[in-house]
Amino acid sequence: MFDLSSLLQGFILGLGVFLCPGPKDVLILREALAGRPSMLLIGIGVGSDAALIALGILGLSAALSQAPSWQAAALWLGIGLLLVHGAKALRNALSPSSAPHPGPAPALSTGLRPLLLNSLLNPAAWMDTVLVIGTVGAALAPGARAGFATGAVAASLLWFCALVAGAGRVRRHMASPRTMRLLDAGVALAMLGMAAYLAWAQWQAASP
């Protein structure tokens, strides 16, 4: 039986973290407007959050804090990933021929790899789930951790359901090549901006 207070604590902290959109959220919004199946997008968003939250609570957050070199390596890997996919999104935003036209939903295999990679390896997602939610959850009593994790995952589910449902309501009016190029510009801005911020923070931390 879950402890209600720990469940509410996880839910409130999760909402506070997830309601600030990051690169993954912008990418999921783009895929929803492009006609990707809603349940698939929600499953990827919530499933990746649940996996990272579990890893953090099970001790990955503590392990990374004790191994700064590994933490830095993981962060630079994530920065590289953000730069690559941010550059691709910028290329799409600047190239009219690359913007999808309204029509049937894209094939399931098309474009899923960037979404999966950014859901699981995005350093912003790691900071939110592993290092923030995971650290708080790991500090709780063992009996309270399951309820806390459930509350945090419930917040993720609520957020992605609202995001994808909202995109579905406006898709008919917004799924145009111009809108998709604007969304690609938003994806590029989010990813490249996050990469620049993290790289600057790492440089500042390494400076004497």
Side-chain angles (χ1 to χ4, degrees):
M1 182 177 180
F2 290 146
D3 175 58
L4 182 59
S5 63
S6 63
L7 189 146
L8 288 175
Q9 183 181 358
F11 183 78
I12 293 170
L13 178 60
L15 277 183
V17 167
F18 298 131
L19 287 180
C20 181
K24 179 175 77 171
D25 306 293
V26 179
L27 196 55
I28 285 181
L29 176 63
R30 184 201 186 283
E31 293 298 315
L33 288 174
R36 189 77 64 184
S38 298
M39 295 305 296
L40 176 65
L41 296 177
I42 293 171
I44 290 174
V46 178
S48 60
D49 281 344
L52 294 176
I53 288 169
L55 287 174
I57 292 178
L58 292 174
L60 183 58
S61 58
L64 287 175
S65 67
Q66 297 297 321
S69 59
W70 283 96
Q71 187 174 1
L75 185 58
W76 282 112
L77 176 64
I79 290 172
L81 175 73
L82 289 174
L83 288 173
V84 168
H85 291 294
K88 289 180 179 179
L90 182 61
R91 181 193 62 191
N92 290 341
L94 296 175
S95 175
S97 62
S98 66
H101 295 275
L108 288 181
S109 60
T110 305
L112 275 188
R113 183 176 298 175
L115 180 55
L116 288 169
L117 288 175
N118 279 284
S119 296
L120 292 170
L121 300 179
N122 175 0
W126 274 67
M127 286 191 294
D128 289 344
T129 54
V130 176
L131 298 180
V132 175
I133 298 176
T135 299
V136 174
L140 297 175
R145 291 173 188 170
F148 176 86
T150 300
V153 172
S156 173
L157 177 62
L158 177 63
W159 165 243
F160 283 113
C161 283
L163 183 68
V164 172
R169 287 181 178 275
V170 300
R171 177 175 177 260
R172 181 180 302 176
H173 308 287
M174 293 185 63
S176 67
R178 180 175 180 273
T179 300
M180 300 311 293
R181 288 177 63 198
L182 288 174
L183 276 172
D184 279 321
V187 171
L189 182 63
M191 292 188 177
L192 296 177
M194 178 62 68
Y197 170 76
L198 291 172
W200 178 82
Q202 279 292 96
W203 179 78
Q204 287 290 99
S207 299

